[in-house]
């Protein structure tokens, strides 16, 4: 309820409002008695983990388009093909290219790093949370 009050204060101060159709509440460690109160007070829907955020692939594509455009046209809103194939630009500098990162490959590598951290029980809050909420002393690989 304090978070909702904080959100309301922010909305009043900034004029920005959360989109009720795109916002959900995730309840963990709460009594089922409290959940309906929170949902009614917020007008948000309840959802559960894990969730898949559909905006990530589009965001990655937008980042790549912006990088391509800036490299070939000098602005972020260029239209049309670049002067050099993007796959060539993303090759390593040792191979004669610019060494730009392919954002799709970079994202997969970052996700792989999360998997490694969880599997090796890295000492950080996120990993501890995953183990306490979902794995509960189970082996990650099983």
């Amino acid at each position: 309820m304090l978070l909702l009050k904080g959100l309301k204060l922010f909305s009043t101060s900034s004029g920005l409002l959360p989109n009720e159709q795109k916002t959900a509440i995730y309840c963990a460690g709460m009594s089922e008695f409290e959940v309906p109160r929170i949902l009614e007070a917020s007008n948000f829907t309840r959802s559960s983990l894990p969730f898949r955020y559909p905006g990530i692939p589009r965001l990655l594509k937008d980042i790549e388009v912006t990088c391509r455009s800036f490299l070939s046209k000098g602005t972020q809103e260029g239209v049309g093909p670049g002067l050099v194939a993007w796959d060539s630009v993303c090759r390593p500098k040792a191979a004669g290219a610019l060494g730009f990162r392919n954002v799709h490959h970079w994202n997969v590598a970052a996700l792989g790093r999360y998997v490694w951290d969880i599997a090796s029980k890295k000492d950080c809050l996120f990993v501890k949370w995953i183990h306490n909420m979902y794995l509960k002393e189970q082996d990650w690989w099983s």
Side-chain angles (χ1 to χ4, degrees):
M1 293 303 276
L2 290 174
L3 286 173
L4 290 174
K5 286 181 182 179
L7 180 60
K8 185 175 182 178
L9 177 62
F10 173 79
S11 295
T12 303
S13 302
S14 67
L16 300 173
L17 299 172
N19 184 330
E20 292 177 9
Q21 285 76 39
K22 294 182 179 179
T23 306
I25 296 203
Y26 298 85
C27 304
M30 295 176 61
S31 72
E32 286 302 316
F33 173 76
E34 295 293 327
V35 174
R37 289 184 50 215
I38 299 295
L39 296 175
E40 184 179 334
S42 67
N43 290 327
F44 301 142
T45 58
R46 182 178 184 178
S47 194
S48 61
L49 295 172
F51 68 92
R52 179 173 167 83
Y53 178 63
I56 293 295
R58 165 134 178 95
L59 176 63
L60 294 177
K61 183 177 180 185
D62 288 347
I63 290 170
E64 186 174 295
V65 166
T66 299
C67 291
R68 285 180 180 200
S69 177
F70 186 78
L71 181 65
S72 63
K73 311 261 187 321
T75 69
Q76 80 179 50
E77 279 119 25
V79 178
L83 301 174
V84 179
W86 188 247
D87 289 340
S88 297
V89 171
C90 291
R91 290 187 186 136
K93 288 181 183 179
L98 296 176
F100 281 28
R101 305 271 191 230
N102 178 311
V103 293
H104 299 281
H105 295 164
W106 188 259
N107 187 51
V108 169
L111 292 173
R113 179 58 198 239
Y114 283 131
V115 169
W116 177 257
D117 288 348
I118 292 167
S120 63
K121 295 187 177 182
K122 182 179 178 184
D123 186 23
C124 73
L125 183 59
F126 169 74
V127 171
K128 288 178 182 179
W129 178 72
I130 293 293
H131 278 277
N132 286 327
M133 288 298 296
Y134 300 106
L135 298 178
K136 301 184 193 292
E137 301 305 319
Q138 296 176 29
D139 179 45
W140 163 264
W141 300 112
S142 62

